[in-house]
Amino acid sequence: MPPLHICSLILCSISAVFSSPVGRDSVCGYKSCPATKPSMLNVHLVPHTHDDVGWLKTVDQYYYGDRNYIQHAGVQYILDSVVDQLQKDPARRFIYVEIAFFYRWWKQQDQKTRRIVTQLVNEGRLEFINGGWCMSDEATTHYSAVIDQMSLGLRFLNDTFGECGRPRVAWHIDPFGHAREHASIFAQMGYDGFFFGRLDYQDKGRRMRTKEMEMVWRASESLKPPVANLFTGVLPNGYNPPAGFCWDQSCDDAPIRDDPDLEDYNVDVMVQNFVSTANSQATYYKTNHIIMTMGSDFQYENANLWYKNMDKLIKYVNALQANGSKVNVLYSTPSCYLQELNLANLTWPQKTDDFFPYADDAHDFWTGYFTSRPALKLYERLSNSLLQTCTQLEVLGGPKSRSGPFGEGDSDTMKRAMGVAQHHDAVSGTEKQHVAYDYAKRLARGWAHCEVLIRNSLAVLTGSEAPRVMCENLNISVCPLTESSHKFSMNVYNPLARAVSWPVRLPVNGSQYSVTDANGKAVDSQVVPLTKSTQEVRRNRGYAKGELVFQVKAPPLGYTTYIISLLQDGPPEDKIVHRAPPSIQNKFLKVTFDDNTGLLKTLTNLETQQTIQLSQNFYWYNASAGNNYESNQPSGAYIFRPNSSTPFIVNKTAQIEVVTVSGVVQEVTQWFSPWVSQVVRLYEGRRELELEWTVGPVPIKDGLGKEVITRLDTDIQSSGYFYTDSNGREVLERRKDYRPTWDLKQSEPIAGNYYPINSRAFIKASDDKRQLTVVTDRSQGVGSIYNGSLEIMLHRRLLYDDVRGVGEPLSEPGEFNDGLVVRGRLLLTLTPPDQAADTHRPLAQGMVLQPLLSFQDGTPSTNSKLEFSGLQAALPPAVHMLTLSQWDKDSILIRLEHQYEAKESKTYSQPVTVNLQKLFSTFKVLGASEMSLGANQWKKDMTRLSWNNEMNVKPVPVSDKDPSPWEVTLNPMEIRTFLLQVQQ
């Protein structure tokens, strides 16, 4: 049987997913667009609502219209009202975006309403735009979570409405800056265009003057054009209607009063103002088509107000055409507007960088949210790791993983929680405190459902139904089982498709333990005393006296087992040393300390014999206070505005608390103040230096808001350049006080030089010989203010609101209401630049997808399977298995990703071929069909609009021809998505 003759294997059996329930008479998509007039200025009115999936209220409060004393908003009423009004006139249009809300509403509708809505969709009168579970943030999200939340929404639309439910346009009208990787993702998902509302005020001014509000965004340096090219447009008025034309119940603008027998007849004035507005807007755009967004936050609860006035506006403006007017107004959608731009067949300017940072005025840089709510940012990242493990084990464990000895488990709850968490007022940290709690609660519920599934799956794979414990507080050394048990086993599941080595730290009360691996081989281990900061953070939640440290090795996409036995009771030897050692080192790295200050002094790569001067310390910027919006913009959840370019140093010296030197780990604990400490760690056999920082509670009794950073100062001559990742994937070059697109007038020397990082940042010498890379455990803000320096913002505690809508200061109370304590890790590598990616790419992937530890008291039974891999062999080093998820009973969805950029690695920046039939060990692959990145189209059917741009590159194939039907080739930065029919 030819393996990729998909119709005989899989395509025909599920093709209905991509076609139903479109009726015979359906005219959706571009075919449903209204006629325009070539000789006139066509004004496309786009009725829309922007519904935040949580912000001032929780997602469910917004849906039901609860707690309207906070904000009047009820999404269920919006959809009720819009559906009612669309039926009254076939010319009317409406777009909807946030599927998390539409999903809730659709579940509650009867069959009659569902039929009406389906007809509206099939006729293009109700159109879904963007189509993700939420409108994701672009600065603080990781690409894997973005792809997942988009796929979640797109699959719902596909299952519910078929082809007519497929969005053609990406729509990010509210996020606070725009990432190049997001544009690349949208392009690979098959979107024809992208519209957004916010960009830097200087950039917007220049674009308006030069008619460059619309462009072709080349969103990847590695993917061959036009694969990642995306037509991109800047909306004229954010996402609001033009001044004077807002007719929502929340607005104060005058309605159109068109009865001359009644008082205050205003048709002539309204028409004149509208025509003037339209003609003025047209001066900033290149074609005879312009778009007007008719709606805003949570509008259309009473859609009749909008439609009644827009009907009149269209009628009276178009009536002037009989007298020679050249303005034509029509109901439209973003996709219909986009089609007209495409038909114009113009040459468009090209953009290759991104839209960060975003400022809406000279002193108002939205760069604080890169770090806001750092604990939530880490929880979201860890939840993403757990979700990938959960979906993998759902596949590997089979049906019993969802219903097994430990109960009913699922991955869907976590998928929806993570989908909501990607919202631009969720992981961004720009929501009210009670909403942040709700996001965390949803993730916690997802954890609970996934943990049941994981226990069931591991019971199937190991053959053991003994109780299994997962310890979620290991970062503060709390795990009741390991603290109390004299003998226990630890299962280490590795979600990566390559073998990993990983340092493990378990809270214990003994001073010596025996650790053996799945083959009975002894593993070197060491018990180290708990740091003072850990003892303070856990506040009587655990009673461990030390941590058992050892390295684990786990097979690809599988697990291994370790047996831990107590040999000697009692606490570990407590070595209180008040001076830093001259140095610590393993066979790869050497770190020296300043004898006088206790700070880092040098870092040496012993393999390449490279050394840099390296000093690291903690500082805080005094957040600008004051609440005079016009003259003294304060720092807040969104905005970073220090009142001085010089930060305050926490302490010029570090008190040395504990020094541990063993064959497993060497670590030095530095104490900077009662609220800042750090452990410098060098594990045996590792090529990275770990800095585990603990910050908080940030003191505010002095009346000063604080934005806490750590700064790495080196002798690397970086010449003002530094590099940051985009959503965890491709790397962009940054330069102090510079923007590639326009001549920057810098007004905030610190905040205006901050950029988001999701997994890494680096500086390298101008002679191209040394590169210092920092890998992070969550999204943060970073800058290189001084030559050879990187500073990373770790924590923020502020006393004022920044007047951008959230309405409360960013001052998280923490668990004990005295301020939030945050702990995190930075991993440092020193390499030649041409070898750096070989280290930081797998290191960052390992930080994003961490091994999952689970524990069983006692020893495993004799028939337990102690080691397992779901793969026949590890994937090549350049290939990452981005997705492994159950699609339906007999098929699974996988995404394979080339994780290196073109030209960044001599070894790995090459095409790689993978055999789909030889991937898995637990099931046979019977058929495979390639899909779009969003998994809502067959790849062979995916077509996109073609655009001319000023620096046009001749289109070439996405990848080299696959060697055989089962062998697929991945080029640098390419992600390929497949639906596999499988047999256990």
Side-chain angles (χ1 to χ4, degrees):
M1 176 184 302
L4 286 188
H5 288 180
I6 303 303
C7 194
S8 62
L9 293 172
I10 183 171
L11 180 59
C12 289
S13 64
I14 61 172
S15 61
V17 173
F18 297 100
S19 58
S20 65
V22 179
R24 234 178 279 170
D25 300 324
S26 298
V27 182
C28 57
Y30 296 124
K31 293 179 181 178
S32 67
C33 291
T36 59
K37 298 187 176 182
S39 61
M40 295 188 179
L41 173 62
N42 293 277
V43 183
H44 295 249
L45 302 185
V46 177
H48 81 105
T49 179
H50 174 58
D51 298 341
D52 288 304
V53 185
W55 179 38
L56 308 183
K57 305 196 295 188
T58 70
V59 58
D60 287 345
Q61 289 166 358
Y62 271 134
Y63 176 74
Y64 280 112
D66 195 10
R67 300 185 72 175
N68 278 344
Y69 59 87
I70 297 176
Q71 180 186 13
H72 187 96
V75 175
Q76 62 173 332
Y77 308 122
I78 293 171
L79 291 168
D80 289 343
S81 185
V82 165
V83 168
D84 174 67
Q85 288 298 312
L86 287 177
Q87 297 174 65
K88 296 183 177 181
D89 186 345
R92 292 176 174 177
R93 298 288 188 272
F94 194 79
I95 65 168
Y96 200 73
V97 175
E98 295 86 3
I99 305 307
F101 284 128
F102 189 85
Y103 166 81
R104 284 165 165 78
W105 182 81
W106 181 260
K107 287 198 307 178
Q108 298 177 349
Q109 305 311 304
D110 58 28
Q111 289 303 313
K112 179 182 177 182
T113 303
R114 290 186 176 191
R115 284 194 296 271
I116 291 169
V117 172
T118 299
Q119 181 180 349
L120 292 172
V121 173
N122 288 346
E123 294 174 357
R125 294 153 65 187
L126 173 61
E127 183 173 333
F128 294 101
I129 299 293
N130 208 64
W133 206 246
C134 71
M135 185 184 295
S136 60
D137 182 56
E138 298 193 43
T140 63
T141 47
H142 191 267
Y143 73 95
S144 62
V146 172
I147 292 171
D148 281 349
Q149 76 87 12
M150 289 298 300
S151 300
L152 184 63
L154 293 174
R155 182 168 187 189
F156 169 79
L157 291 177
N158 197 61
D159 290 349
T160 308
F161 300 108
E163 175 65 13
C164 285
R166 180 170 66 85
R168 272 74 172 172
V169 171
W171 183 258
H172 271 213
I173 53 178
D174 196 25
F176 332 118
H178 303 282
R180 195 175 74 176
E181 193 60 38
H182 261 73
S184 177
I185 288 170
F186 290 143
Q188 293 175 72
M189 287 183 169
Y191 288 90
D192 287 320
F194 177 37
F195 292 98
F196 63 74
R198 298 183 190 268
L199 79 165
D200 188 275
Y201 74 103
Q202 292 185 44
D203 191 11
K204 185 174 183 179
R206 182 197 67 83
R207 289 184 179 279
M208 291 172 70
R209 292 190 297 272
T210 59
K211 289 193 173 184
E212 293 186 5
M213 294 284 277
E214 293 160 332
M215 70 213 81
V216 173
W217 196 350
R218 187 182 176 195
S220 173
E221 296 293 331
S222 296
L223 297 173
K224 300 173 184 178
V227 172
N229 285 8
L230 188 65
F231 183 90
T232 301
V234 181
L235 296 170
N237 197 36
Y239 56 90
N240 299 308
F245 299 93
C246 182
W247 291 303
D248 193 72
Q249 63 187 16
S250 62
C251 298
D252 298 324
D253 293 343
I256 294 179
R257 298 185 288 258
D258 57 346
D259 188 340
D261 294 332
L262 299 180
E263 200 171 324
D264 297 329
Y265 177 84
N266 67 353
V267 170
D268 296 339
V269 172
M270 294 292 284
V271 167
Q272 181 182 357
N273 288 346
F274 183 84
V275 170
S276 175
T277 298
N279 285 325
S280 175
Q281 181 180 321
T283 63
Y284 306 127
Y285 292 84
K286 296 182 72 170
T287 74
N288 64 324
H289 293 267
I290 60 173
I291 186 171
M292 289 186 179
T293 46
M294 306 303 284
S296 192
D297 290 352
F298 298 100
Q299 295 196 356
Y300 285 79
E301 272 193 39
N302 185 351
N304 178 55
L305 298 178
W306 267 110
Y307 283 112
K308 192 165 190 174
N309 283 280
M310 286 190 291
D311 287 346
K312 293 179 180 181
L313 182 70
I314 292 170
K315 173 184 175 181
Y316 292 119
V317 171
N318 290 349
L320 293 182
Q321 294 171 14
N323 299 325
S325 170
K326 295 295 183 180
V327 175
N328 181 54
V329 191
L330 62 148
Y331 282 117
S332 189
T333 66
S335 56
C336 292
Y337 173 66
L338 182 72
Q339 179 178 231
E340 295 294 344
L341 300 184
N342 185 259
L343 291 172
N345 199 29
L346 300 180
T347 298
W348 302 93
Q350 178 168 280
K351 182 177 178 66
T352 58
D353 58 315
D354 65 1
F355 290 93
F356 287 116
Y358 161 60
D360 58 13
D361 211 338
H363 302 290
D364 308 351
F365 280 86
W366 297 48
T367 54
Y369 80 96
F370 300 161
T371 297
S372 295
R373 302 195 187 278
L376 180 63
K377 282 178 165 62
L378 178 63
Y379 193 33
E380 181 276 333
R381 184 64 54 85
L382 295 175
S383 299
N384 181 51
S385 180
L386 183 81
L387 175 59
Q388 305 314 312
T389 293
C390 186
T391 59
Q392 290 174 13
L393 285 171
E394 184 176 14
V395 172
L396 298 175
K400 290 184 179 178
S401 63
R402 294 181 291 279
S403 180
F406 296 99
E408 303 292 321
D410 68 84
S411 60
D412 293 340
T413 303
M414 181 63 101
K415 287 177 182 176
R416 291 192 290 268
M418 279 293 293
V420 167
Q422 305 316 301
H423 170 57
H424 57 270
D425 285 307
V427 66
S428 60
T430 54
E431 64 275 15
K432 281 186 178 290
Q433 185 64 53
H434 79 100
V435 181
Y437 290 149
D438 184 70
Y439 289 133
K441 182 175 70 174
R442 290 175 184 279
L443 293 174
R445 191 179 301 128
W447 278 70
H449 283 249
C450 267
E451 286 182 356
V452 173
L453 185 151
I454 290 167
R455 289 187 181 98
N456 286 336
S457 181
L458 290 177
V460 172
L461 297 173
T462 64
S464 170
E465 296 184 2
R468 186 177 298 276
V469 174
M470 293 169 207
C471 295
E472 298 171 5
N473 292 313
L474 287 175
N475 68 320
I476 56 170
S477 298
V478 175
C479 179
L481 188 147
T482 65
E483 293 172 51
S484 60
S485 178
H486 287 196
K487 193 164 192 175
F488 59 93
S489 67
M490 180 180 72
N491 180 290
V492 182
Y493 179 82
N494 169 27
L496 293 172
R498 57 178 171 84
V500 297
S501 175
W502 189 263
V504 167
R505 307 178 71 90
L506 305 180
V508 293
N509 280 297
S511 59
Q512 189 176 353
Y513 286 79
S514 162
V515 180
T516 57
D517 65 15
N519 298 313
K521 182 180 177 181
V523 177
D524 289 340
S525 64
Q526 176 74 34
V527 177
V528 300
L530 289 187
T531 63
K532 180 180 176 182
S533 63
T534 295
Q535 296 175 37
E536 291 184 351
V537 166
R538 70 182 185 179
R539 297 199 188 184
N540 300 319
R541 279 173 293 186
Y543 59 94
K545 301 296 192 297
E547 290 182 315
L548 176 64
V549 183
F550 57 99
Q551 294 268 352
V552 298
K553 296 180 180 179
L557 211 71
Y559 68 80
T560 191
T561 308
Y562 288 83
I563 311 298
I564 297 97
S565 303
L566 176 67
L567 296 180
Q568 185 174 327
D569 210 347
E573 183 181 355
D574 198 0
K575 301 176 181 178
I576 303 298
V577 181
H578 296 292
R579 295 179 66 86
S583 67
I584 56 176
Q585 72 176 74
N586 61 17
K587 63 181 180 180
F588 299 118
L589 292 177
K590 180 179 180 180
V591 183
T592 66
F593 293 83
D594 187 294
D595 188 54
N596 296 316
T597 64
L599 303 177
L600 295 177
K601 185 177 181 181
T602 67
L603 176 63
T604 299
N605 183 327
L606 298 174
E607 292 182 288
T608 60
Q609 292 300 304
Q610 294 174 300
T611 298
I612 59 169
Q613 300 296 314
L614 173 62
S615 178
Q616 180 245 357
N617 210 326
F618 295 86
Y619 306 81
W620 56 274
Y621 289 104
N622 181 10
S624 179
N627 49 19
N628 185 330
Y629 174 75
E630 293 296 326
S631 62
N632 189 8
Q633 170 65 54
S635 275
Y638 302 93
I639 290 175
F640 171 34
R641 192 184 180 210
N643 67 1
S644 170
S645 296
T646 303
F648 293 88
I649 192 168
V650 172
N651 200 325
K652 293 181 180 179
T653 62
Q655 177 185 335
I656 304 305
E657 182 191 341
V658 177
V659 177
T660 300
V661 179
S662 73
V664 178
V665 65
Q666 301 171 64
E667 52 187 45
V668 176
T669 302
Q670 300 170 312
W671 187 265
F672 292 86
S673 79
W675 57 280
V676 177
S677 63
Q678 178 174 265
V679 182
V680 181
R681 288 199 184 101
L682 193 56
Y683 289 101
E684 187 59 33
R686 309 289 297 187
R687 288 180 167 86
E688 72 277 358
L689 177 69
E690 178 181 301
L691 305 178
E692 184 186 69
W693 50 269
T694 303
V695 176
V698 177
I700 54 173
K701 289 184 179 180
D702 55 7
L704 301 177
K706 296 175 178 64
E707 324 220 30
V708 184
I709 66 166
T710 186
R711 196 171 76 207
L712 303 161
D713 296 309
T714 76
D715 61 346
I716 291 175
Q717 297 301 309
S718 56
S719 304
Y721 290 87
F722 64 111
Y723 302 81
T724 67
D725 67 328
S726 180
N727 297 125
R729 287 205 89 216
E730 296 195 42
V731 172
L732 282 79
E733 180 182 87
R734 310 298 191 183
R735 183 176 164 190
K736 183 184 176 185
D737 296 331
Y738 175 79
R739 304 289 186 268
T741 311
W742 79 94
D743 293 329
L744 174 69
K745 294 180 180 178
Q746 185 61 275
S747 49
E748 285 289 331
I750 305 301
N753 282 304
Y754 259 61
Y755 292 85
I757 53 171
N758 305 104
S759 61
R760 81 210 75 187
F762 58 82
I763 52 173
K764 58 184 180 180
S766 53
D767 61 8
D768 225 28
K769 291 183 179 179
R770 298 178 298 169
Q771 177 173 317
L772 177 68
T773 305
V774 181
V775 172
T776 67
D777 61 357
R778 74 200 77 192
S779 295
Q780 294 169 313
V782 68
S784 181
I785 309 301
Y786 306 102
N787 184 36
S789 171
L790 274 177
E791 63 179 59
I792 299 171
M793 187 176 290
L794 306 176
H795 199 354
R796 314 178 73 218
R797 193 177 186 190
L798 309 173
L799 304 181
Y800 298 90
D801 176 53
D802 55 12
V803 202
R804 290 304 185 279
V806 75
E808 65 184 33
L810 181 66
S811 180
E812 297 181 88
E815 189 172 1
F816 302 99
N817 291 314
D818 56 355
L820 181 69
V821 180
V822 186
R823 172 170 287 174
R825 294 186 300 148
L826 303 174
L827 305 181
L828 275 56
T829 65
L830 174 64
T831 55
D834 61 356
Q835 299 174 23
D838 298 356
T839 301
H840 71 67
R841 286 284 174 189
L843 195 61
Q845 284 289 11
M847 188 76 100
V848 171
L849 294 180
Q850 300 182 16
L852 177 72
L853 308 182
S854 60
F855 305 90
Q856 293 178 308
D857 201 13
T859 57
S861 61
T862 54
N863 59 353
S864 292
K865 189 173 182 179
L866 299 183
E867 197 161 74
F868 162 84
S869 175
L871 299 180
Q872 294 185 32
L875 289 179
V879 179
H880 170 55
M881 185 170 287
L882 180 61
T883 302
L884 174 60
S885 181
Q886 197 75 38
W887 182 268
D888 58 25
K889 181 176 177 290
D890 299 315
S891 54
I892 61 173
L893 183 75
I894 68 165
R895 292 187 179 95
L896 298 175
E897 170 193 6
H898 196 306
Q899 62 177 335
Y900 286 84
E901 293 185 48
K903 301 178 182 178
E904 76 173 350
S905 169
K906 293 178 180 178
T907 306
Y908 300 123
S909 294
Q910 307 294 331
V912 184
T913 299
V914 175
N915 190 313
L916 297 178
Q917 230 180 2
K918 297 180 180 179
L919 277 179
F920 300 102
S921 65
T922 59
F923 46 80
K924 181 187 293 186
V925 178
L926 302 178
S929 184
E930 187 163 11
M931 306 176 80
S932 65
L933 181 60
N936 65 333
Q937 300 176 75
W938 302 120
K939 186 69 176 288
K940 67 181 182 61
D941 297 334
M942 194 174 88
T943 58
R944 299 173 61 220
L945 298 179
S946 180
W947 303 88
N948 304 316
N949 59 286
E950 291 173 352
M951 300 172 65
N952 219 339
V953 181
K954 186 177 179 181
V956 293
V958 177
S959 63
D960 298 327
K961 186 177 179 181
D962 292 331
S964 73
W966 285 113
E967 294 176 302
V968 297
T969 298
L970 296 160
N971 285 316
M973 280 288 116
E974 186 176 13
I975 302 173
R976 297 183 68 177
T977 305
F978 297 91
L979 195 59
L980 306 182
Q981 186 186 29
V982 298
Q983 182 182 66
Q984 292 289 335

